[in-house]
Amino acid sequence: MKNITFEKYQGNGNDFVVIDSRGNDLYKNYKTNKIFDIKQICNRQFGIGADGVIFIEEPKEDNYAKMIIFNSDGSEAQMCGNGIRCLVEYLHLNDSMNNKNIEYKIETKAGLKIAKYINDEITVKMGVPILECQNIPTTIEKKINSIPSHEFIEKDFNNMGYAVGMGNPHLIFFVKDIESIILSRLGPILEKNELFPEKTNVHFCQILNRDNIKVKVWERGAGPTLACGTGACAIHVAAYKLGLCNSQTIVTLPGGNLKIDWSKDDCEVMMTGNAKKVFSGSMLVN
Ligand SMILES: N[C@H](CCC[C@H](N)C(=O)O)C(=O)O
């Protein structure tokens, strides 16, 4: 057994255990010998408690660092919008640079992402979105219709969903009354379906006005979370393509607001939000 240090961060309440694996073999040892169990670490009763674990690795190219992100169920994801802001805040607080004017070039499974401080918030170039399909085949309709109506949600929920890729998959529904959505009922049903062989993140959105979208999030591999950065980007893209919002919106999540800027198909989505250190700690691993 040995003691390793970690730091806990959160972005709009979406929280992560950050493990710096630069200059040591922590990530390699995790991958080869499972020196700890991510589910246990993320467990909010018996572990540290988090929506996921982020390893920081040395970059492959001439970039600042590499981000590897795991959901709380232990599944690896391609990208994490709140997580990359937490990683940048970690780098800013721990690296000697301590310079808020640099561009942080971070390698991820969804490609290179560039982040920069603007005042006390962090803006990330989140990549060019992929509009995967305009509506949901009958498989999902059948699943939704299989729920007894008394357990169901608002009356006018029409299973017209939108799939948008931000390096990771997102299934988006626009509803008239978001408070009527029973996330715990619909999230698990929609997270796993044939349209998404690797499962998907699920979002229910209410357009408050052309500058503001209110959201409830069910994350792949994590369940209900307070915020999803890649999800906020995907939601803005779907709403803009449907003519429901302006080119810049505030996406209001249960854990706080994210500012999203996007209007041209071949452009990167820009996401701006906070990231805060919660505490440092250490844990015994095998
Ligand atoms: N659950 C996501 C990964 C975390 C994304 C989310 N926390 C964000 O801020 O983008 C997935 O499996 O694709």
Side-chain angles (χ1 to χ4, degrees):
M1 299 286 273
K2 72 173 187 175
N3 225 9
I4 68 165
T5 58
F6 66 86
E7 293 189 8
K8 180 88 189 284
Y9 283 74
Q10 61 87 12
N12 289 327
N14 194 202
D15 57 354
F16 304 93
V17 171
V18 178
I19 296 173
D20 196 340
S21 186
R22 295 174 297 174
N24 60 57
D25 286 339
L26 285 175
Y27 175 61
K28 188 164 139 265
N29 291 342
Y30 170 73
K31 285 298 276 185
T32 47
N33 311 321
K34 287 285 184 285
I35 52 172
F36 54 75
D37 178 345
I38 284 184
K39 278 192 217 173
Q40 200 169 13
I41 285 185
C42 293
N43 184 298
R44 295 191 189 277
Q45 273 73 40
F46 314 112
I48 298 165
D51 293 324
V53 172
I54 290 172
F55 287 96
I56 305 174
E57 277 271 274
E58 296 295 350
K60 295 262 182 300
E61 319 268 337
D62 176 22
N63 296 307
Y64 199 110
K66 181 178 177 186
M67 175 176 81
I68 297 152
I69 167 79
F70 289 90
N71 291 307
S72 55
D73 72 347
S75 62
E76 187 175 354
Q78 298 88 339
M79 178 51 194
C80 180
N82 292 314
I84 200 168
R85 297 199 319 274
C86 290
L87 181 147
V88 167
E89 179 71 357
Y90 172 96
L91 297 173
H92 168 63
L93 295 177
N94 286 282
D95 290 5
S96 54
M97 312 280 272
N98 213 353
N99 171 355
K100 282 201 167 183
N101 298 318
I102 62 170
E103 278 195 339
Y104 288 88
K105 294 181 179 178
I106 310 295
E107 295 170 9
T108 75
K109 270 199 160 178
L112 183 69
K113 308 299 173 192
I114 299 176
K116 201 167 164 49
Y117 279 91
I118 297 183
N119 305 324
D120 274 341
E121 292 203 303
I122 299 167
T123 294
V124 186
K125 288 182 179 174
M126 294 290 286
V128 177
I130 300 167
L131 264 174
E132 273 147 1
C133 84
Q134 291 302 303
N135 58 44
I136 300 300
T138 49
T139 40
I140 292 209
E141 195 170 348
K142 275 194 208 112
K143 284 200 173 186
I144 289 178
N145 294 343
S146 69
I147 301 174
S149 54
H150 68 279
E151 275 191 51
F152 211 52
I153 46 170
E154 62 175 38
K155 301 298 160 275
D156 68 350
F157 176 82
N158 64 3
N159 52 48
M160 174 65 89
Y162 297 86
V164 178
M166 287 302 302
N168 58 348
H170 296 275
L171 177 56
I172 296 151
F173 294 89
F174 293 99
V175 296
K176 284 203 173 51
D177 173 15
I178 197 156
E179 297 316 323
S180 70
I181 292 292
I182 307 171
L183 201 59
S184 56
R185 193 80 184 82
L186 279 173
I189 290 176
L190 294 166
E191 175 187 351
K192 305 170 193 68
N193 67 73
E194 291 130 61
L195 186 70
F196 297 92
E198 294 181 343
K199 300 193 286 183
T200 183
N201 301 286
V202 184
H203 309 282
F204 295 93
C205 318
Q206 182 176 342
I207 303 287
L208 300 182
N209 58 57
R210 293 186 60 81
D211 302 312
N212 192 199
I213 306 170
K214 191 173 182 186
V215 175
K216 274 186 178 178
V217 177
W218 179 275
E219 279 200 44
R220 173 179 68 168
T225 64
L226 292 175
C228 179
T230 49
C233 296
I235 289 158
H236 173 97
V237 168
Y240 186 82
K241 292 296 278 183
L242 289 166
L244 301 174
C245 73
N246 293 328
S247 59
Q248 195 175 86
T249 57
I250 296 294
V251 176
T252 298
L253 300 127
N257 291 340
L258 286 173
K259 191 172 80 181
I260 310 296
D261 202 327
W262 180 84
S263 57
K264 293 189 178 66
D265 286 9
D266 55 354
C267 287
E268 294 207 54
V269 184
M270 305 299 282
M271 171 194 68
T272 300
N274 64 33
K276 298 283 177 225
K277 179 177 178 179
V278 184
F279 60 82
S280 304
S282 63
M283 59 181 170
L284 271 178
V285 297
N286 298 324

